[in-house]
Coordinates of all heavy atoms in Angstrom, one line a residue:
M1 N -117.3 24.2 181.1 CA -116.4 24.9 180.2 C -115.4 23.9 179.5 O -115.0 23.0 180.2 CB -115.6 25.9 181.0 CG -115.0 27.0 180.1 SD -114.0 28.2 181.1 CE -115.2 29.5 181.4
S2 N -115.3 24.0 178.3 CA -114.4 23.0 177.5 C -113.0 23.4 177.7 O -112.7 24.5 178.0 CB -114.8 23.0 176.0 OG -114.5 24.4 175.5
P3 N -112.0 22.4 177.6 CA -110.6 22.6 177.8 C -110.1 23.7 176.9 O -109.2 24.5 177.2 CB -110.0 21.3 177.5 CG -111.1 20.3 177.8 CD -112.3 21.0 177.3
A4 N -110.7 23.8 175.6 CA -110.1 24.8 174.6 C -110.5 26.2 175.1 O -109.7 27.1 175.0 CB -110.9 24.5 173.3
R5 N -111.7 26.4 175.7 CA -112.0 27.7 176.2 C -111.2 28.1 177.4 O -110.8 29.3 177.6 CB -113.5 27.7 176.6 CG -114.5 27.5 175.4 CD -115.8 27.9 175.8 NE -116.0 29.4 175.8 CZ -117.2 30.0 175.9 NH1 -118.3 29.2 176.1 NH2 -117.3 31.3 175.9
I6 N -110.8 27.1 178.2 CA -109.8 27.3 179.4 C -108.5 27.9 178.9 O -107.9 28.9 179.4 CB -109.8 26.1 180.3 CG1 -111.1 25.9 181.0 CG2 -108.6 26.3 181.3 CD1 -111.3 24.6 181.6
I7 N -108.0 27.2 177.8 CA -106.6 27.5 177.2 C -106.8 29.0 176.6 O -105.9 29.9 176.9 CB -106.3 26.5 176.1 CG1 -105.9 25.2 176.8 CG2 -105.1 27.1 175.3 CD1 -105.8 24.0 175.9
I8 N -107.8 29.3 175.9 CA -108.1 30.6 175.4 C -108.1 31.7 176.5 O -107.5 32.7 176.5 CB -109.4 30.7 174.5 CG1 -109.1 29.9 173.2 CG2 -109.7 32.1 174.2 CD1 -110.4 29.5 172.4
L9 N -108.8 31.3 177.6 CA -109.0 32.3 178.7 C -107.6 32.5 179.3 O -107.2 33.6 179.7 CB -109.9 31.7 179.7 CG -110.4 32.6 180.9 CD1 -111.3 33.7 180.3 CD2 -111.1 31.8 182.0
A10 N -106.8 31.4 179.5 CA -105.4 31.5 180.0 C -104.6 32.3 179.1 O -103.8 33.2 179.7 CB -104.8 30.1 180.2
I11 N -104.6 32.2 177.8 CA -103.9 33.0 176.9 C -104.2 34.5 177.0 O -103.4 35.4 177.1 CB -104.0 32.5 175.4 CG1 -103.3 31.1 175.3 CG2 -103.4 33.5 174.4 CD1 -103.7 30.4 174.0
L12 N -105.5 34.7 177.1 CA -106.0 36.2 177.2 C -105.5 36.7 178.6 O -105.1 37.9 178.6 CB -107.6 36.2 177.2 CG -108.2 36.0 175.8 CD1 -109.7 35.9 176.0 CD2 -107.9 37.1 174.9
L13 N -105.6 36.0 179.7 CA -105.0 36.5 180.9 C -103.5 36.8 180.9 O -103.1 37.8 181.4 CB -105.4 35.5 182.1 CG -106.8 35.4 182.5 CD1 -107.0 34.3 183.4 CD2 -107.2 36.7 183.2
Y14 N -102.8 35.9 180.1 CA -101.4 36.0 179.9 C -101.0 37.3 179.2 O -100.2 38.1 179.5 CB -100.8 34.8 179.3 CG -99.3 34.9 178.9 CD1 -98.4 34.9 179.8 CD2 -99.0 35.1 177.6 CE1 -97.0 35.1 179.6 CE2 -97.6 35.2 177.2 CZ -96.7 35.2 178.3 OH -95.3 35.3 177.9
L15 N -101.9 37.5 178.0 CA -101.7 38.7 177.2 C -102.0 40.0 178.0 O -101.3 41.0 177.9 CB -102.6 38.6 176.0 CG -102.1 37.6 174.9 CD1 -103.1 37.5 173.8 CD2 -100.8 38.0 174.3
L16 N -103.0 39.9 178.9 CA -103.4 41.1 179.7 C -102.3 41.3 180.7 O -101.9 42.6 180.9 CB -104.7 40.7 180.4 CG -105.4 41.9 181.1 CD1 -106.0 42.9 180.3 CD2 -106.4 41.4 182.1
Y17 N -101.7 40.3 181.2 CA -100.6 40.5 182.2 C -99.4 41.1 181.5 O -98.8 42.0 182.0 CB -100.2 39.1 182.8 CG -99.0 39.2 183.6 CD1 -99.1 39.6 185.0 CD2 -97.7 38.8 183.2 CE1 -97.9 39.7 185.7 CE2 -96.6 38.9 183.9 CZ -96.7 39.3 185.3 OH -95.6 39.4 186.0
R18 N -99.1 40.6 180.3 CA -98.0 41.1 179.5 C -98.2 42.6 179.1 O -97.3 43.5 179.1 CB -97.8 40.3 178.2 CG -97.1 39.0 178.4 CD -95.6 39.2 178.5 NE -95.0 39.9 177.4 CZ -94.5 39.3 176.3 NH1 -94.5 37.9 176.2 NH2 -94.0 39.9 175.3
L19 N -99.5 42.9 178.8 CA -99.9 44.3 178.4 C -99.6 45.3 179.6 O -99.0 46.4 179.5 CB -101.3 44.4 178.0 CG -101.8 45.6 177.3 CD1 -101.2 45.7 175.8 CD2 -103.3 45.7 177.3
L20 N -100.0 44.9 180.8 CA -99.9 45.7 182.0 C -98.4 45.8 182.4 O -98.0 46.8 182.8 CB -100.7 45.0 183.2 CG -102.2 45.2 183.0 CD1 -103.0 44.4 184.1 CD2 -102.7 46.6 183.0
F21 N -97.7 44.6 182.3 CA -96.3 44.7 182.7 C -95.4 45.4 181.6 O -94.6 46.2 182.0 CB -95.8 43.2 182.7 CG -94.4 43.0 183.2 CD1 -94.1 43.1 184.5 CD2 -93.4 42.7 182.2 CE1 -92.8 43.0 185.0 CE2 -92.1 42.7 182.7 CZ -91.8 42.8 184.0
G22 N -95.9 45.4 180.3 CA -95.2 46.1 179.3 C -95.3 47.6 179.5 O -94.4 48.3 179.3
K23 N -96.5 48.0 179.9 CA -96.8 49.4 180.1 C -95.9 50.0 181.2 O -95.3 51.1 181.1 CB -98.3 49.7 180.5 CG -99.2 49.9 179.4 CD -100.6 50.3 179.8 CE -101.5 50.5 178.7 NZ -102.9 50.8 179.1
K24 N -95.7 49.2 182.2 CA -94.8 49.7 183.3 C -93.4 49.9 182.9 O -92.8 50.9 183.2 CB -94.8 48.6 184.4 CG -95.9 48.8 185.5 CD -95.8 47.9 186.6 CE -96.9 48.1 187.7 NZ -96.7 47.1 188.8
T25 N -92.9 48.9 182.1 CA -91.4 49.1 181.7 C -91.3 50.1 180.7 O -90.3 50.9 180.7 CB -90.9 47.7 181.2 OG1 -91.9 47.2 180.2 CG2 -90.8 46.6 182.3
T26 N -92.2 50.2 179.7 CA -92.0 51.3 178.6 C -92.2 52.6 179.2 O -91.6 53.7 178.7 CB -93.0 51.0 177.5 OG1 -94.3 50.9 178.0 CG2 -92.6 49.8 176.6
S27 N -93.1 52.9 180.2 CA -93.3 54.2 180.8 C -92.0 54.6 181.6 O -91.8 55.8 181.7 CB -94.6 54.2 181.6 OG -94.5 53.4 182.7
S28 N -91.4 53.7 182.3 CA -90.2 54.1 183.1 C -89.0 54.3 182.3 O -88.2 55.2 182.7 CB -89.9 52.9 184.1 OG -89.5 51.8 183.5
R29 N -88.8 53.7 181.1 CA -87.6 53.9 180.3 C -87.5 55.3 179.8 O -86.6 56.0 179.9 CB -87.6 52.9 179.3 CG -86.9 51.5 179.7 CD -86.9 50.5 178.6 NE -86.7 49.1 179.1 CZ -86.9 48.1 178.4 NH1 -87.3 48.2 177.1 NH2 -86.7 46.9 178.9
P30 N -88.6 55.8 179.0 CA -88.5 57.1 178.6 C -88.6 58.3 179.7 O -88.0 59.2 179.5 CB -89.7 57.3 177.7 CG -90.2 55.9 177.4 CD -89.9 55.2 178.6
G31 N -89.1 57.9 180.8 CA -89.1 58.8 182.0 C -87.8 59.0 182.5 O -87.4 60.2 182.7
V32 N -86.9 58.1 182.5 CA -85.5 58.2 182.9 C -84.7 59.1 182.0 O -84.0 60.0 182.3 CB -84.9 56.8 183.2 CG1 -83.3 57.0 183.4 CG2 -85.4 56.2 184.4
G33 N -84.9 58.6 180.6 CA -84.2 59.4 179.5 C -84.7 60.9 179.5 O -83.9 61.8 179.4
G34 N -86.0 61.1 179.7 CA -86.6 62.5 179.6 C -86.1 63.3 180.9 O -85.8 64.5 180.7
Q35 N -85.9 62.7 182.0 CA -85.4 63.3 183.2 C -84.0 63.8 183.0 O -83.7 64.9 183.3 CB -85.5 62.3 184.3 CG -85.2 63.0 185.7 CD -86.4 63.9 186.1 OE1 -87.5 63.5 186.0 NE2 -86.1 65.1 186.6
L36 N -83.1 62.9 182.3 CA -81.7 63.3 182.1 C -81.7 64.5 181.1 O -80.9 65.4 181.3 CB -81.0 62.1 181.6 CG -80.6 61.1 182.5 CD1 -80.1 59.8 181.8 CD2 -79.6 61.4 183.5
E37 N -82.5 64.4 180.1 CA -82.5 65.6 179.1 C -82.9 66.8 179.7 O -82.4 67.9 179.5 CB -83.5 65.2 177.9 CG -83.1 65.8 176.6 CD -84.1 65.3 175.6 OE1 -84.4 64.1 175.4 OE2 -84.7 66.2 174.9
K38 N -84.0 66.8 180.6 CA -84.5 67.9 181.3 C -83.4 68.6 182.2 O -83.2 69.7 182.2 CB -85.6 67.5 182.1 CG -86.6 68.7 182.4 CD -87.8 68.2 183.2 CE -88.8 69.3 183.5 NZ -89.9 68.8 184.3
D39 N -82.6 67.7 182.9 CA -81.6 68.1 183.7 C -80.5 68.9 183.0 O -80.0 69.9 183.5 CB -81.0 67.0 184.5 CG -81.9 66.4 185.6 OD1 -82.9 67.2 185.9 OD2 -81.6 65.4 186.1
E40 N -80.1 68.4 181.8 CA -79.1 69.1 181.0 C -79.5 70.5 180.6 O -78.7 71.4 180.6 CB -78.9 68.2 179.7 CG -77.9 67.1 179.9 CD -77.8 66.2 178.7 OE1 -77.9 66.8 177.6 OE2 -77.7 65.0 178.9
H41 N -80.8 70.7 180.4 CA -81.3 72.0 180.0 C -81.5 72.9 181.2 O -81.5 74.1 181.0 CB -82.6 71.9 179.3 CG -82.4 71.4 177.8 ND1 -82.0 72.2 176.9 CD2 -82.7 70.2 177.4 CE1 -81.8 71.5 175.8 NE2 -82.3 70.2 176.0
N42 N -81.5 72.3 182.4 CA -81.7 73.2 183.6 C -80.3 73.5 184.3 O -80.3 74.0 185.4 CB -82.6 72.4 184.6 CG -84.0 72.4 184.2 OD1 -84.5 73.4 183.6 ND2 -84.9 71.5 184.6
V43 N -79.3 73.1 183.7 CA -77.9 73.4 184.2 C -77.6 74.9 184.2 O -77.9 75.5 183.3 CB -76.9 72.6 183.3 CG1 -75.5 73.1 183.7 CG2 -76.9 71.1 183.6
L44 N -77.2 75.3 185.3 CA -76.7 76.8 185.4 C -75.4 77.0 184.9 O -74.4 76.3 185.2 CB -76.8 77.2 186.9 CG -78.2 77.4 187.5 CD1 -78.1 77.7 189.0 CD2 -78.9 78.7 186.8
V45 N -75.2 78.0 184.0 CA -74.0 78.3 183.4 C -73.7 79.8 183.6 O -74.5 80.6 183.7 CB -74.0 78.0 181.8 CG1 -73.9 76.6 181.6 CG2 -75.3 78.6 181.2
E46 N -72.4 80.1 183.7 CA -72.0 81.5 184.1 C -71.9 82.3 182.8 O -71.2 81.9 181.8 CB -70.7 81.4 184.9 CG -70.4 82.8 185.5 CD -69.1 82.9 186.3 OE1 -68.4 81.9 186.3 OE2 -68.7 83.9 186.7
D47 N -72.4 83.5 182.9 CA -72.3 84.5 181.8 C -70.9 85.0 181.9 O -70.6 85.6 183.0 CB -73.4 85.5 182.0 CG -73.4 86.6 180.8 OD1 -72.2 86.9 180.4 OD2 -74.4 87.0 180.6
P48 N -69.9 84.8 181.0 CA -68.5 85.3 181.1 C -68.4 86.8 181.0 O -67.3 87.3 181.3 CB -67.8 84.6 180.0 CG -68.9 84.4 178.9 CD -70.2 84.1 179.6
V49 N -69.5 87.5 180.7 CA -69.4 89.0 180.6 C -69.8 89.6 181.9 O -69.1 90.3 182.5 CB -70.3 89.5 179.4 CG1 -70.3 91.1 179.3 CG2 -69.7 88.9 178.1
C50 N -71.0 89.3 182.4 CA -71.5 90.0 183.6 C -71.5 89.0 184.8 O -71.8 89.5 185.8 CB -73.0 90.5 183.4 SG -74.2 89.2 183.2
H51 N -71.1 87.8 184.5 CA -70.8 86.8 185.7 C -72.1 86.5 186.4 O -72.1 86.1 187.6 CB -69.7 87.2 186.6 CG -68.4 87.4 185.9 ND1 -67.7 86.4 185.4 CD2 -67.8 88.5 185.5 CE1 -66.6 86.8 184.8 NE2 -66.7 88.2 184.8
T52 N -73.2 86.5 185.9 CA -74.4 86.0 186.4 C -74.7 84.6 186.0 O -74.3 84.2 184.9 CB -75.7 86.9 186.1 OG1 -75.8 87.1 184.7 CG2 -75.7 88.2 186.8
Y53 N -75.5 83.8 186.7 CA -75.8 82.5 186.3 C -77.1 82.4 185.6 O -78.1 83.0 186.1 CB -75.7 81.6 187.5 CG -74.3 81.3 188.0 CD1 -73.6 82.1 188.8 CD2 -73.7 80.2 187.5 CE1 -72.3 81.9 189.2 CE2 -72.3 79.9 187.7 CZ -71.7 80.7 188.6 OH -70.4 80.5 189.0
V54 N -77.1 81.7 184.5 CA -78.3 81.6 183.7 C -78.6 80.1 183.4 O -77.7 79.3 183.4 CB -78.2 82.3 182.3 CG1 -78.3 83.8 182.6 CG2 -76.9 82.0 181.6
V55 N -79.9 79.8 183.2 CA -80.2 78.4 182.9 C -79.9 78.2 181.4 O -80.2 78.9 180.5 CB -81.8 78.2 183.2 CG1 -82.2 76.8 182.7 CG2 -82.1 78.4 184.6
Q56 N -79.1 77.1 181.2 CA -78.5 76.8 179.9 C -79.6 76.7 178.8 O -79.5 77.3 177.7 CB -77.8 75.5 179.9 CG -76.9 75.3 178.7 CD -76.2 73.9 178.7 OE1 -75.6 73.7 179.7 NE2 -76.3 73.2 177.7
G57 N -80.7 76.1 179.2 CA -81.8 76.0 178.1 C -82.5 77.3 177.8 O -83.2 77.4 176.7
Q58 N -82.3 78.4 178.6 CA -83.0 79.6 178.3 C -82.1 80.7 178.1 O -82.5 81.9 178.0 CB -83.9 80.0 179.6 CG -85.1 79.0 179.9 CD -85.6 79.3 181.3 OE1 -85.3 80.3 181.9 NE2 -86.5 78.4 181.7
S59 N -80.8 80.4 177.8 CA -79.8 81.3 177.6 C -79.4 81.5 176.2 O -79.8 80.6 175.3 CB -78.5 81.1 178.4 OG -78.0 79.8 178.0
L60 N -78.7 82.5 175.8 CA -78.2 82.7 174.4 C -76.7 82.1 174.5 O -76.0 82.1 175.5 CB -78.0 84.3 174.2 CG -79.4 85.0 174.1 CD1 -79.1 86.4 174.2 CD2 -80.1 84.6 172.8
S61 N -76.4 81.5 173.4 CA -75.1 80.9 173.3 C -74.3 81.4 172.0 O -74.9 81.8 171.1 CB -75.3 79.3 173.2 OG -76.0 78.9 172.0
A62 N -73.1 81.2 172.2 CA -72.1 81.6 171.2 C -70.8 80.7 171.2 O -70.4 80.3 172.3 CB -71.6 83.0 171.3
V63 N -70.4 80.3 170.0 CA -69.2 79.3 170.1 C -68.0 80.1 169.7 O -68.0 80.9 168.7 CB -69.4 78.3 169.1 CG1 -68.2 77.3 169.0 CG2 -70.7 77.3 169.4
K64 N -67.0 80.0 170.5 CA -65.7 80.8 170.3 C -64.6 79.8 170.6 O -64.5 79.2 171.7 CB -65.6 82.0 171.3 CG -64.5 83.0 170.8 CD -64.7 84.2 171.7 CE -63.6 85.3 171.2 NZ -63.7 86.5 172.1
D65 N -63.6 79.7 169.7 CA -62.5 78.8 169.7 C -63.0 77.3 170.0 O -62.5 76.7 170.9 CB -61.5 79.3 170.8 CG -60.9 80.7 170.4 OD1 -60.8 80.9 169.3 OD2 -60.8 81.4 171.4
G66 N -64.1 77.0 169.5 CA -64.5 75.6 169.7 C -65.2 75.3 171.0 O -65.7 74.3 171.3
K67 N -65.4 76.4 171.9 CA -66.1 76.2 173.1 C -67.3 77.1 173.1 O -67.5 78.2 172.5 CB -65.1 76.7 174.2 CG -65.5 76.2 175.6 CD -64.6 76.9 176.7 CE -65.2 76.5 178.1 NZ -64.6 77.3 179.1
T68 N -68.4 76.5 173.7 CA -69.7 77.1 173.7 C -69.8 78.0 175.0 O -69.6 77.5 176.2 CB -70.8 76.1 173.7 OG1 -70.6 75.2 172.6 CG2 -72.2 76.8 173.6
Y69 N -70.2 79.2 174.9 CA -70.4 80.2 176.0 C -71.9 80.5 176.1 O -72.5 80.6 175.0 CB -69.5 81.4 175.9 CG -68.0 81.1 175.8 CD1 -67.3 80.9 174.7 CD2 -67.4 81.1 177.1 CE1 -66.1 80.6 174.7 CE2 -66.0 80.9 177.1 CZ -65.3 80.6 175.9 OH -64.0 80.3 175.9
Y70 N -72.4 80.8 177.2 CA -73.8 81.1 177.4 C -73.9 82.5 178.1 O -73.2 82.9 178.9 CB -74.4 80.1 178.3 CG -74.4 78.7 177.6 CD1 -73.4 77.8 177.9 CD2 -75.4 78.3 176.7 CE1 -73.3 76.5 177.3 CE2 -75.3 77.0 176.1 CZ -74.3 76.2 176.3 OH -74.2 75.0 175.7
F71 N -75.0 83.2 177.6 CA -75.1 84.5 178.0 C -76.6 84.9 178.5 O -77.5 84.3 178.0 CB -74.8 85.6 176.8 CG -73.4 85.2 176.3 CD1 -73.3 84.4 175.2 CD2 -72.3 85.8 176.9 CE1 -72.0 84.1 174.7 CE2 -71.0 85.5 176.3 CZ -70.9 84.7 175.3
C72 N -76.7 85.8 179.4 CA -78.0 86.2 179.9 C -78.8 87.0 178.9 O -80.1 86.9 178.9 CB -77.9 87.0 181.2 SG -77.2 88.6 181.1
C73 N -78.2 87.8 178.1 CA -78.9 88.7 177.2 C -78.0 88.8 175.9 O -76.9 88.5 175.8 CB -79.2 90.0 177.8 SG -77.8 90.9 178.3
E74 N -78.6 89.4 174.9 CA -78.0 89.6 173.6 C -76.9 90.6 173.8 O -75.8 90.5 173.1 CB -79.0 90.1 172.6 CG -78.6 90.4 171.1 CD -78.0 89.2 170.5 OE1 -78.4 88.1 170.6 OE2 -76.8 89.3 169.9
E75 N -77.0 91.6 174.6 CA -76.0 92.6 174.9 C -74.7 91.9 175.4 O -73.6 92.3 174.9 CB -76.5 93.6 175.8 CG -75.7 95.0 175.8 CD -76.1 95.9 176.9 OE1 -77.2 95.9 177.3 OE2 -75.1 96.7 177.2
C76 N -74.8 91.0 176.3 CA -73.6 90.4 176.9 C -73.0 89.4 175.8 O -71.7 89.5 175.6 CB -74.0 89.4 178.0 SG -74.4 90.4 179.5
R77 N -73.8 88.8 174.9 CA -73.2 88.0 173.8 C -72.4 88.9 172.9 O -71.5 88.4 172.4 CB -74.4 87.3 173.2 CG -74.1 86.2 172.1 CD -75.4 85.6 171.6 NE -75.1 84.7 170.5 CZ -75.2 85.0 169.3 NH1 -75.4 86.3 168.9 NH2 -74.8 84.2 168.4
R78 N -73.0 90.0 172.5 CA -72.4 90.9 171.6 C -71.1 91.4 172.1 O -70.1 91.4 171.4 CB -73.4 92.1 171.2 CG -72.9 92.9 170.1 CD -73.9 94.0 169.8 NE -74.4 94.7 170.9 CZ -73.9 95.8 171.5 NH1 -72.7 96.2 171.1 NH2 -74.4 96.4 172.5
K79 N -71.1 91.8 173.3 CA -69.9 92.3 174.0 C -68.7 91.3 174.0 O -67.6 91.6 173.7 CB -70.2 92.7 175.5 CG -70.8 94.1 175.7 CD -70.9 94.4 177.2 CE -71.7 95.7 177.4 NZ -72.0 95.9 178.8
F80 N -69.3 90.0 174.2 CA -68.2 88.9 174.3 C -67.6 88.7 172.9 O -66.4 88.5 172.8 CB -68.9 87.7 174.9 CG -68.0 86.5 174.9 CD1 -67.1 86.3 176.0 CD2 -68.0 85.6 173.9 CE1 -66.3 85.2 176.1 CE2 -67.2 84.4 174.0 CZ -66.3 84.2 175.0
L81 N -68.4 88.7 171.9 CA -67.9 88.4 170.5 C -67.1 89.6 170.0 O -66.3 89.5 169.2 CB -69.1 88.1 169.7 CG -69.9 86.8 170.0 CD1 -71.2 86.7 169.2 CD2 -69.0 85.6 169.6
E82 N -67.4 90.9 170.6 CA -66.6 92.0 170.0 C -65.2 92.0 170.7 O -64.2 92.6 170.1 CB -67.2 93.3 170.5 CG -68.4 93.7 169.6 CD -69.2 94.8 170.0 OE1 -68.9 95.4 171.1 OE2 -70.2 95.2 169.3
Q83 N -65.1 91.4 171.8 CA -63.7 91.2 172.4 C -62.8 90.3 171.5 O -63.4 89.3 170.8 CB -63.8 90.5 173.8 CG -64.4 91.4 174.8 CD -64.7 90.6 176.1 OE1 -64.5 89.3 176.1 NE2 -65.4 91.1 177.1
N84 N -61.5 90.5 171.4 CA -60.7 89.7 170.5 C -60.6 88.3 171.0 O -60.4 87.3 170.4 CB -59.3 90.4 170.4 CG -58.7 90.6 171.7 OD1 -59.0 90.0 172.7 ND2 -57.8 91.7 171.8
Ligands
ZN1 ZN1 -75.0 88.9 181.1

């Protein structure tokens, strides 16, 4: 084997190593970010009308006086907004 081919082989091995190493780091970064985002949507919030706990991501929301409130159903949301 000529020295040039050994160098090319070494570069290819280095690139392969970088590719495998790069995959590990890029897959872990969005994984952490995605996990945090998922947790935010899974937060339990109290319905101020019927006082049941609902998952934030699956609840109805309404903004009143700059604060966001979450409701289990449209009826609770409507009752809350009808209150002064
Ligand atoms: Zn409710």
Side-chain angles (χ1 to χ4, degrees):
M1 203 182 261
S2 66
R5 293 195 80 174
I6 291 165
I7 290 163
I8 290 163
L9 194 70
I11 290 165
L12 284 172
L13 284 169
Y14 173 73
L15 288 172
L16 188 71
Y17 173 80
R18 281 283 300 268
L19 193 75
L20 292 169
F21 186 77
K23 267 187 183 177
K24 268 187 183 177
T25 52
T26 50
S27 66
S28 68
R29 276 179 198 166
V32 171
Q35 193 68 44
L36 285 168
E37 207 178 310
K38 205 177 178 184
D39 286 347
E40 275 173 35
H41 287 287
N42 284 332
V43 165
L44 282 174
V45 284
E46 193 183 358
D47 183 325
V49 178
C50 66
H51 302 284
T52 52
Y53 283 87
V54 288
V55 178
Q56 193 178 313
Q58 294 169 10
S59 64
L60 292 163
S61 64
V63 180
K64 194 173 182 180
D65 302 323
K67 202 185 167 190
T68 309
Y69 297 90
Y70 299 93
F71 309 92
C72 68
C73 60
E74 183 55 46
E75 199 187 332
C76 286
R77 185 176 176 268
R78 187 175 50 80
K79 276 182 188 173
F80 181 80
L81 292 170
E82 279 174 1
Q83 291 166 4
N84 51 25

